[in-house]
Amino acid sequence: MKGTILSGFRPTGRAHIGNLIGALENWVKLQDEYSCYFEIADWHLLTTGYEATSEIQSNIIEMAADWLAAGLDPKKSVIFIQSQVKAHAELHLLFSMITPLSWLERNPTLKEQARDLKINENMNYGLLGYPILQTADILCYKATAVPVGEDQLPHLEMSREIARRFNYLYKPIFPEPKSLITRFPRVPGIDGKKMSKSLNNAIYIADSEEDILKKVKTCITDTSKVHKNDPGHPEICNVFQYHKIFNEGMTEETKRDCEAGTLGCVDCKKNAAKKIDEHISPIREKRNELLKNPGYIREILNEGAVSAKRVADATLDDVNKCMNLKNKQEVL
Ligand code: TRP
């Protein structure tokens, strides 16, 4: 039997090439092996972004356009918006009853987030419950595997603990979802740090060829390679990482020529930018095409929500029965 997958992102807007290589391209492959659910986690966005909500809707559409353009196929996968499937909220509530506060307080991803956002003293209740909501997302579909990046591992560990606890307390109806870690090269941002929208160092799928070149040109390479003919050290160079990912056929040659001092950084950057552009330009074109008709994207998301709801409501029904919150005669 095929396993079930659920994964998602918060709708922070357009996807960058780190999302593409690290997640989307992997999701596209998984569509043929698993029954797949991909959600746009707008409630999760509110856990930190509750003040600025004016762009949520346009960000959802942009994100969905990127997903579809990258190859997520609504005929194979259920693609939906979290807040359209209310069962996630109910399951979150029920799981919150059986989750010890100490599990949440020791979660390293949450701690790091609180530190980054400087909200240690003033953590909101919703953010503390982030992993419980994520568990509800996963277990509404009894997903057996969750493709995520490494930062999500503590959340997944907690999902397994909550599933185990529910199964022990009531009835064993939930699988313990495994993480599918994507062992993809980490795509560095143009400043060498992790690529992230908030660090302002991302190359987006939506970026034009000129945008990409402009961004790659700002990359700091090997600081000891001052003149074109100086020998370089590709392993410490950010741009070489881009070659490794987007210019596989020429990686060795690029390395050799850089080390020999026959390839200057300006040309090397131009080559890298061109290869990045070649990789993403068909996706970019498709996304721009899709965005001409946001109504079509909405339709896909609405249909996704209908399919998701059917499964999630059935799980909730089961959960309520297990917890004796529903008797057999009850019809609502
Ligand atoms: N926490 C994830 C992120 O921001 C998003 C997310 C929400 C998620 N629910 C999920 C990921 C369920 C996997 C499974 O990266």
Side-chain angles (χ1 to χ4, degrees):
M1 216 177 78
K2 282 212 281 190
T4 301
I5 270 182
L6 178 129
S7 197
F9 275 126
R10 288 163 293 170
T12 48
R14 41 188 62 179
H16 54 62
I17 59 174
N19 303 137
L20 180 69
I21 301 295
L24 289 173
E25 292 190 347
N26 187 41
W27 292 1
V28 170
K29 284 191 214 124
L30 292 168
Q31 292 183 112
D32 296 316
E33 297 163 44
Y34 291 85
S35 112
C36 290
Y37 295 83
F38 297 111
E39 72 163 8
I40 297 178
D42 54 350
W43 279 333
H44 275 110
L45 181 77
L46 294 183
T47 61
T48 56
Y50 52 85
E51 279 175 302
T53 60
S54 60
E55 283 174 12
I56 291 186
Q57 292 310 317
S58 56
N59 283 343
I60 286 174
I61 294 300
E62 290 232 27
M63 180 170 269
D66 281 329
W67 288 11
L68 295 168
L72 287 197
D73 180 351
K75 289 200 197 72
K76 294 181 185 168
S77 299
V78 179
I79 306 164
F80 68 100
I81 303 172
Q82 182 185 39
S83 67
Q84 291 194 329
V85 186
K86 308 297 181 200
H88 292 221
E90 188 176 339
L91 194 56
H92 171 228
L93 176 95
L94 296 173
F95 282 162
S96 78
M97 305 302 169
I98 64 167
T99 306
L101 198 53
S102 60
W103 290 7
L104 299 166
E105 284 169 343
R106 68 166 191 234
N107 182 299
T109 302
L110 275 188
K111 277 194 198 163
E112 201 180 296
Q113 219 170 7
R115 208 179 314 126
D116 289 351
L117 296 167
K118 302 188 174 60
I119 50 176
N120 271 326
E121 303 304 309
N122 204 5
M123 162 98 62
N124 47 315
Y125 177 55
L127 181 58
L128 190 67
Y130 189 112
I132 307 184
L133 181 57
Q134 183 155 330
T135 302
D137 295 343
I138 297 165
L139 293 182
C140 269
Y141 308 94
K142 300 190 176 161
T144 50
V146 184
V148 282
E150 268 175 18
D151 64 316
Q152 298 290 307
L153 291 183
H155 292 341
L156 250 287
E157 180 59 37
M158 192 177 303
S159 297
R160 283 191 290 277
E161 285 174 321
I162 294 174
R164 213 173 297 144
R165 192 159 159 82
F166 184 97
N167 290 345
Y168 164 77
L169 287 170
Y170 308 106
K171 202 171 149 197
I173 63 166
F174 288 121
E176 292 180 23
K178 291 188 184 54
S179 46
L180 281 185
I181 278 291
T182 27
R183 283 267 166 245
F184 281 98
R186 196 176 73 96
V187 186
I190 54 176
D191 58 358
K193 296 190 190 126
K194 183 183 158 90
M195 187 174 285
S196 140
K197 186 177 180 159
S198 54
L199 293 177
N200 232 335
N201 64 2
I203 298 174
Y204 293 97
I205 295 176
D207 282 348
S208 68
E209 193 174 350
E210 301 84 79
D211 294 334
I212 299 169
L213 183 60
K214 227 184 278 165
K215 288 183 179 178
V216 174
K217 272 188 180 164
T218 69
C219 289
I220 306 213
T221 54
D222 173 2
T223 46
S224 69
K225 185 171 162 77
V226 182
H227 304 290
K228 182 177 169 188
N229 298 335
D230 291 342
H233 303 87
E235 289 310 333
I236 60 162
C237 173
N238 205 12
V239 179
F240 186 62
Q241 297 304 315
Y242 294 150
H243 280 286
K244 277 194 185 163
I245 300 164
F246 296 98
N247 193 12
E248 248 178 293
M250 296 278 286
T251 312
E252 279 312 306
E253 203 175 321
T254 303
K255 183 171 190 289
R256 201 186 53 218
D257 294 350
C258 170
E259 285 171 342
T262 54
L263 174 66
C265 293
V266 176
D267 286 333
C268 177
K269 285 176 171 178
K270 277 189 193 152
N271 296 345
K274 184 161 167 282
K275 286 294 169 182
I276 296 172
D277 180 64
E278 276 174 21
H279 189 103
I280 65 176
S281 68
I283 306 172
R284 178 176 61 222
E285 273 162 37
K286 208 163 159 204
R287 106 184 263 288
N288 291 342
E289 203 49 47
L290 282 160
L291 282 172
K292 286 187 192 149
N293 190 357
Y296 170 71
I297 298 176
R298 281 267 164 224
E299 223 171 89
I300 289 174
L301 294 173
N302 289 342
E303 281 169 19
V306 171
S307 309
K309 213 167 158 340
R310 211 174 296 132
V311 179
D313 285 348
T315 302
L316 248 295
D317 199 55
D318 222 10
V319 166
N320 278 304
K321 282 182 192 144
C322 290
M323 296 178 83
N324 294 315
L325 287 165
K326 192 167 190 173
N327 66 48
K328 292 195 180 63
Q329 285 80 41
E330 189 178 347
V331 192
L332 276 179

